[in-house]
Amino acid sequence: MLPNDQNAERFLNLIRESRRGRLKVYIGMSAGVGKSYRMLQEAHALRRNGIDARIGFIETHQRAETQALVVGLPAISRRRLFYKGRELDEMDVQAVINTHPELVIVDELAHTNIPGSKNEKRWQDVLDILDAGINVISAVNIQHIESLYDEVHAITGVGVTERVPDKILQMADEVVNIDLTADELIARLKEGKIYDPANVQTALTNFFQPGTILQLRELALREVASAVERKIGRTLPPGTQPKGERFLASISTNHEVARRVIRKTARLAAYYQSRWYVLYVQTPNEAPDRIRLDLQRHLINNLKLATELGAEVIQAKGNNVVNCIVDEADKRKVTTVCIGKPHFSLTQIILRTFAFNQLLNKLSESDTDLIILS
């Protein structure tokens, strides 16, 4: 291809990209975390703001909470197809394109279409809709991502047949993780909010085991972190490098929360290949002659763990923990502070809300991000 032809093709691609619809993908560790629910919530919010958002395809799985949100959202008629003696529904891609809403909800991104459809996979339908200049919000579970097949198989023992190529997430303008703890997800399952009650026990003994859920949850978080990094790379001017990340994990003598914060911050730092710190602020109530021996022992073990994972440990003393965190973050040019999710009683929440808001306000003044790790 001649240089002039290459320039013309490059410019043509830019024109196509500018006309192309935007893609947002909600990703989750499993069924039942609330992806469809969140998409419908967003569609309602967009319509309240004057955006013509419609349903191209939604799968409610007969979940009452999800079905309730379908009400009030205009839906584009589906295609009715016969397959193996059964009448089945499929998204009508051409009807979506002909209707041409500003935005369309398309659930079950990994779905395999009925034979005879224009495209074999729903993600291919989504590409057609995007090419028509229509924005799309879709959803997928982490186990359906192509490059994760082996990891998911090792975790679950299941060979997932419906998969989405990684390029779909890589081209997405936004990838959002819908996150629940393993306990919250299992509770939803037992309450009948995910599957029919007759299938709950089978699910509990197979896929919905805490260890399996936790590993899939980590894969989902990792995938979203990759998407954020890609987005940063796309938005920076050519030749510009993203700023070097520096993480600071602030821990207390709550040893279980501290250990989780240390490990998760270590993974973040490893992902970004960045320097990181663990900060413990000793208040007068935790002076050596006043702290309980078991708390002191756990603290020492956690600081040792932080060192083993590559952190630089900082031990400070002060009456005001917030000021110490801000001072250390500023001194070391920290870009992100990581803290544990509070597990307080109502009284403690009231007493400590001011301190949390103070931390949030001070960090925002210094352009430092705050991550709350559960």
Side-chain angles (χ1 to χ4, degrees):
M1 187 179 291
L2 296 173
N4 285 342
D5 294 332
Q6 290 176 335
N7 290 335
E9 184 179 11
R10 191 178 302 115
F11 189 62
L12 179 60
N13 288 334
L14 288 173
I15 293 173
R16 286 171 177 163
E17 288 175 9
S18 68
R19 292 176 176 173
R20 190 185 185 91
R22 299 285 186 176
L23 174 63
K24 181 173 186 175
V25 178
Y26 281 107
I27 194 167
M29 59 187 166
S30 77
V33 296
K35 301 180 301 299
S36 300
Y37 186 89
R38 187 68 65 83
M39 286 195 297
L40 293 171
Q41 277 187 321
E42 185 164 354
H44 277 288
L46 289 169
R47 288 192 67 83
R48 286 194 297 270
N49 284 278
I51 302 298
D52 180 16
R54 305 192 182 204
I55 296 175
F57 191 95
I58 194 72
E59 183 55 76
T60 66
H61 296 286
Q62 304 301 310
R63 295 167 190 155
E65 296 171 340
T66 307
Q67 288 178 318
L69 281 176
V70 172
V71 178
L73 291 176
I76 297 169
S77 299
R78 301 180 183 184
R79 295 174 66 222
R80 305 289 289 177
L81 298 171
F82 282 94
Y83 180 65
K84 293 186 176 180
R86 297 172 59 198
E87 189 178 29
L88 302 172
D89 282 347
E90 282 288 11
M91 179 172 67
D92 192 333
V93 181
Q94 194 57 52
V96 172
I97 293 172
N98 291 344
T99 306
H100 212 281
E102 289 180 77
L103 181 139
V104 66
I105 300 294
V106 180
D107 207 354
E108 305 282 0
L109 188 60
H111 170 77
T112 300
N113 291 329
I114 299 169
S117 301
K118 177 188 176 185
N119 297 310
E120 180 186 358
K121 297 287 187 177
R122 185 163 290 158
W123 61 262
Q124 294 171 318
D125 294 340
V126 167
L127 291 181
D128 287 347
I129 294 169
L130 292 170
D131 284 341
I134 302 167
N135 302 305
V136 176
I137 299 179
S138 191
V140 67
N141 287 329
I142 190 65
Q143 59 265 36
H144 295 290
I145 305 304
E146 182 68 49
S147 67
L148 296 176
Y149 175 84
D150 291 331
E151 286 186 73
V152 170
H153 188 270
I155 293 168
T156 65
V158 176
V160 178
T161 56
E162 293 187 317
R163 301 194 293 277
V164 174
D166 292 57
K167 69 177 182 180
I168 302 300
L169 288 188
Q170 290 167 4
M171 67 177 285
D173 299 278
E174 286 189 69
V175 179
V176 180
N177 183 41
I178 304 298
D179 190 32
L180 289 178
T181 66
D183 289 343
E184 289 169 331
L185 184 60
I186 291 172
R188 283 181 55 80
L189 177 67
K190 290 179 177 178
E191 291 166 2
K193 294 182 177 180
I194 300 178
Y195 297 137
D196 185 273
N199 300 322
V200 168
Q201 192 54 48
T202 302
L204 285 170
T205 55
N206 292 295
F207 187 88
F208 284 80
Q209 296 182 37
T212 300
I213 294 170
L214 287 170
Q215 291 179 80
L216 292 174
R217 185 186 187 195
E218 183 175 354
L219 289 182
L221 290 168
R222 196 170 71 193
E223 184 59 38
V224 173
S226 297
V228 171
E229 186 179 42
R230 289 194 296 269
K231 187 172 183 179
I232 291 172
R234 287 199 298 264
T235 55
L236 287 173
T240 304
Q241 294 298 317
K243 64 178 181 178
E245 296 292 332
R246 289 194 177 195
F247 294 90
L248 185 144
S250 178
I251 66 168
S252 68
T253 50
N254 184 325
H255 64 279
E256 293 180 351
V257 174
R259 186 164 287 252
R260 286 199 296 272
V261 171
I262 289 169
R263 285 174 170 159
K264 290 186 176 184
T265 309
R267 288 201 296 271
L268 285 169
Y271 176 82
Y272 285 100
Q273 299 182 351
S274 64
R275 193 170 180 178
W276 67 293
Y277 310 87
V278 169
L279 169 66
Y280 164 66
V281 180
Q282 182 190 95
T283 61
N285 290 335
E286 294 178 346
D289 59 336
R290 302 184 68 180
I291 190 172
R292 289 192 346 232
L293 288 178
D294 62 326
L295 292 180
Q296 190 174 45
R297 184 175 66 254
H298 286 307
L299 176 63
I300 292 170
N301 289 338
N302 279 337
L303 295 179
K304 181 182 177 184
L305 172 66
T307 302
E308 291 171 350
L309 293 175
E312 180 180 328
V313 172
I314 308 164
Q315 296 190 63
K317 295 181 181 180
N319 292 311
N320 191 312
V321 175
V322 169
N323 286 341
C324 288
I325 293 173
V326 173
D327 289 344
E328 294 296 338
D330 183 62
K331 189 186 303 180
R332 289 168 171 78
K333 295 181 171 57
V334 166
T335 59
T336 304
V337 171
C338 302
I339 63 174
K341 183 178 179 180
H343 297 278
F344 301 146
S345 67
L346 179 59
T347 303
Q348 289 173 316
I349 289 173
I350 293 170
L351 292 174
R352 301 191 189 191
T353 298
F354 175 75
F356 177 79
N357 288 337
Q358 187 182 26
L359 175 62
L360 198 59
N361 291 334
K362 289 195 173 186
L363 290 179
S364 64
E365 291 172 2
S366 62
D367 200 29
T368 302
D369 294 326
L370 176 66
I371 294 179
I372 301 174
L373 301 170
S374 60

